[in-house]
Amino acid sequence: MKATINTSEGEFTVVFSSAGLMSLVFPLGVNEIFIPEDLEEPTEEQFQNYLSLTKAALNSMIDGEPPEQLPPLDLSLGTEFQQLVWNTLLEIPWGETWTYAQLGREVDRPTGARAVGTACGANPVPVLVPCHRVLSSSGGLCGFTAGLPWKQRLLEIEGAWLPLKVAVGD
DNA sequence: GCGGTAAATTATG
DNA sequence: CATAATTTACCGC
């Protein structure tokens, strides 16, 4: 089930399965949508509920405030490692930024920062799964599936864009 | 300290 | 085996 959400930043496209939000696409349609053939469509009731939650969360973030409630996410299309990384991303506090190395430690891969970055790039639900809050150890943006401008914009919205003073959790 | 190059590292196709 | 949204070390400026 595909739908669109209008925000002040443009029109996002989202895809829902019976389990929840499956994919989110930026206004410019940079990232592609992958819908498995055996996808289980959500009921009209679920769809309305998911769409409502997604829209609220998305608008909150673009408005500069942390979303109160995220919609359920269907991450079944990723590998175990990817799901582990995405799940860890959800634990990053609003306005904080982590580094790929730090994230690697969290998932028990102290030296697997690169693999973590690749997993983040495979994230089907940008923004809501804060893959944009992850920077390189030197405070650089490195990369972003939908384009670096988006990554920087999102960080500015959260007030987390501090290259020289990247949140030093720990 | 900053920029370029090289080797080490892990997950994925 | 090759690639990637990294990191660290080494070198020269």
Side-chain angles (χ1 to χ4, degrees):
Chain A
M1 181 66 75
K2 189 167 66 174
T4 57
I5 294 179
N6 225 317
T7 74
S8 58
E9 293 294 331
E11 189 176 72
F12 287 75
T13 299
V14 291
V15 179
F16 297 102
S17 73
S18 61
L21 178 60
M22 199 187 152
S23 177
L24 184 151
V25 185
F26 281 87
L28 298 180
V30 185
N31 39 352
E32 300 177 4
I33 302 176
F34 171 66
I35 303 177
E37 296 178 12
D38 61 344
L39 172 66
E40 189 141 352
E41 296 282 343
T43 63
E44 182 63 23
E45 203 172 322
Q46 291 178 315
F47 172 69
Q48 293 300 334
N49 183 40
Y50 297 159
L51 180 60
S52 177
L53 286 172
T54 304
K55 187 186 299 181
L58 202 55
N59 278 313
S60 287
M61 296 192 72
I62 291 178
D63 208 41
E65 33 188 283
E68 298 180 5
Q69 181 69 57
L70 291 179
L73 307 176
D74 182 359
L75 275 34
S76 61
L77 54 81
T79 63
E80 286 300 318
F81 178 70
Q82 290 171 340
Q83 290 183 38
L84 177 60
V85 172
W86 300 338
N87 188 60
T88 303
L89 287 174
L90 293 174
E91 295 177 11
I92 300 179
W94 174 268
E96 292 233 342
T97 56
W98 286 21
T99 64
Y100 292 99
Q102 183 178 352
L103 196 53
R105 289 208 306 270
E106 288 296 317
V107 297
D108 201 39
R109 262 61 160 196
T111 56
R114 193 159 197 176
V116 172
T118 305
C120 291
N123 169 23
V125 191
V127 188
L128 296 187
V129 173
C131 50
H132 57 274
R133 291 186 197 142
V134 188
L135 312 178
S136 68
S137 290
S138 53
L141 291 174
C142 284
F144 196 59
T145 309
L148 291 178
W150 264 111
K151 185 168 184 174
Q152 185 177 335
R153 170 74 67 79
L154 292 168
L155 289 173
E156 288 178 337
I157 290 175
E158 296 186 17
W161 180 230
L162 307 170
L164 302 179
K165 174 186 164 268
V166 179
V168 191
D170 190 36

